[in-house]
Amino acid sequence: QIWSNTAVCTREREHSGAPKRPFLCQCGRRFTQASSLLRHRRVHTGERPFLCQVCGKGFIQASDLVNHSRVHSVERAFWCSQCGKRFRQPELLAKHNRLLHRGEGVRNEESSMPLASRPSVRQRRPTKREHRCLECGRRFTQASSLLRHRRVHTGERPFSCQVCGKGFIQASDLVKHSRVHSGERAFWCPQCGKSFRQPETLAKHRKLLHRGEGRRRFLCLECGRRFTQASSLLRHRRVHTGERPFLCQVCGKGFIQASDLVKHSRVHSGERAFWCPQCETLPTTVTPGTA
């Protein structure tokens, strides 16, 4: 049998009686490898050597940067085996399965992910919030997070804008703010190409304008609006062409759709088709929903 160097070292420690986790951190945690201890120490030092090239946010390890980068790239690498919905993070997929597919014979939540994309044992282990803020009682898993949070109470703003002098608690907030002066729009919509300064604004744009576009196959070439049915597109196009095919026989006024003509006709007939179920009184207007 062929063993890796790490496995050989582990076997040697087992036979020699040496501790299985020989690398000790100042906080008492032990690790089997020096590289794991090095990575863990960044929790205490606040070092973030892996920086996002888009927003400037730093991370302890490369895998965290890869996960974060999906926020900007809109990549959804984790998919649900039950309904096919995709997610950027494995944690969101796990939450989705737990809330929507519990009891449906769901396999292990990670079985629907590519093998290389499944979270490691270290990522799955519950984290303890050992670092407590003495001001408000909030707890954090990392000392650096507590340090950043304490600036809320102290008012410290170490990251200052070179243009207007405004200060910020963390570097990523300064990076976002700087786009106000530079006009940079680093986040663009893959559907329509519109660009935005902040990822939150892009997310709101896509939610409001592009939700369900996969089902809206019929596109208006004038304004870009989409519709699920060809008849809806045909009716909408009359807004641009000015066509009013439904004419009132009394006054000659035209309307885009028949339902608008029906409503209008009550102006001439005096019909009151909508009544209040509470007092049985007919309203003075004929607009539905006024009762």
Side-chain angles (χ1 to χ4, degrees):
Q1 187 175 3
I2 300 176
W3 299 85
S4 66
N5 290 337
T6 303
V8 170
C9 293
T10 303
R11 275 298 179 99
E12 288 178 351
R13 284 197 297 268
E14 290 175 353
H15 293 302
S16 65
K20 294 181 179 179
R21 297 174 181 264
F23 301 98
L24 175 65
C25 175
Q26 60 189 18
C27 68
R29 284 192 63 183
R30 289 181 173 273
F31 301 87
T32 56
Q33 300 177 6
S35 59
S36 300
L37 172 59
L38 177 63
R39 184 167 55 244
H40 165 76
R41 289 190 61 215
R42 294 170 184 154
V43 172
H44 303 296
T45 63
E47 182 188 3
R48 297 288 187 276
F50 302 96
L51 299 178
C52 174
Q53 299 300 312
V54 178
C55 67
K57 189 173 183 180
F59 299 90
I60 288 178
Q61 54 188 0
S63 59
D64 293 337
L65 174 58
V66 171
N67 288 338
H68 166 79
S69 65
R70 298 191 182 104
V71 173
H72 304 302
S73 67
V74 200
E75 176 190 358
R76 296 174 182 265
F78 306 93
W79 57 276
C80 174
S81 59
Q82 268 64 40
C83 63
K85 190 172 182 180
R86 291 181 175 271
F87 301 88
R88 295 190 184 98
Q89 307 293 349
E91 296 81 5
L92 297 178
L93 170 61
K95 183 178 180 181
H96 165 80
N97 276 332
R98 187 169 61 251
L99 294 177
L100 297 184
H101 300 302
R102 176 179 288 177
E104 294 184 6
V106 181
R107 301 168 297 167
N108 186 302
E109 288 174 344
E110 295 163 11
S111 64
S112 59
M113 308 177 198
L115 183 60
S117 302
R118 297 178 187 177
S120 64
V121 174
R122 186 186 63 80
Q123 290 173 314
R124 289 194 295 263
R125 184 174 59 239
T127 55
K128 295 181 180 179
R129 297 177 178 266
E130 300 172 342
H131 306 279
R132 180 173 175 269
C133 175
L134 299 179
E135 294 286 335
C136 64
R138 281 192 64 184
R139 291 181 175 272
F140 301 87
T141 56
Q142 299 178 357
S144 58
S145 300
L146 172 59
L147 176 64
R148 186 166 54 244
H149 164 77
R150 289 190 59 213
R151 294 170 184 154
V152 174
H153 303 297
T154 63
E156 182 187 4
R157 298 290 189 275
F159 304 96
S160 299
C161 175
Q162 299 299 313
V163 178
C164 66
K166 188 174 182 180
F168 298 90
I169 288 177
Q170 52 190 357
S172 59
D173 292 337
L174 174 58
V175 171
K176 292 178 182 178
H177 166 79
S178 65
R179 298 189 183 112
V180 173
H181 302 300
S182 67
E184 177 191 2
R185 296 175 177 267
F187 307 94
W188 57 275
C189 176
Q191 271 80 19
C192 64
K194 190 174 182 180
S195 58
F196 302 87
R197 293 192 182 99
Q198 307 296 347
E200 298 83 5
T201 312
L202 169 60
K204 184 177 180 180
H205 162 82
R206 297 189 65 198
K207 182 178 180 181
L208 292 176
L209 296 185
H210 300 301
R211 176 178 286 179
E213 277 195 357
R215 298 185 298 270
R216 298 174 182 251
R217 298 183 295 114
F218 302 96
L219 173 67
C220 175
L221 299 179
E222 294 287 335
C223 64
R225 281 193 62 182
R226 291 178 175 270
F227 301 88
T228 56
Q229 300 178 355
S231 58
S232 300
L233 173 59
L234 176 64
R235 185 167 54 246
H236 164 77
R237 288 190 60 209
R238 294 171 185 154
V239 173
H240 303 296
T241 63
E243 182 186 4
R244 299 290 188 275
F246 302 96
L247 301 177
C248 174
Q249 299 300 313
V250 178
C251 65
K253 187 175 182 179
F255 298 90
I256 288 177
Q257 52 189 357
S259 59
D260 292 337
L261 174 58
V262 171
K263 293 175 185 177
H264 167 78
S265 64
R266 297 187 185 115
V267 174
H268 302 299
S269 67
E271 178 190 359
R272 300 188 177 198
F274 305 96
W275 56 279
C276 176
Q278 273 73 34
C279 63
E280 298 185 356
T281 299
L282 293 171
T284 56
T285 62
V286 295
T287 303
T290 56

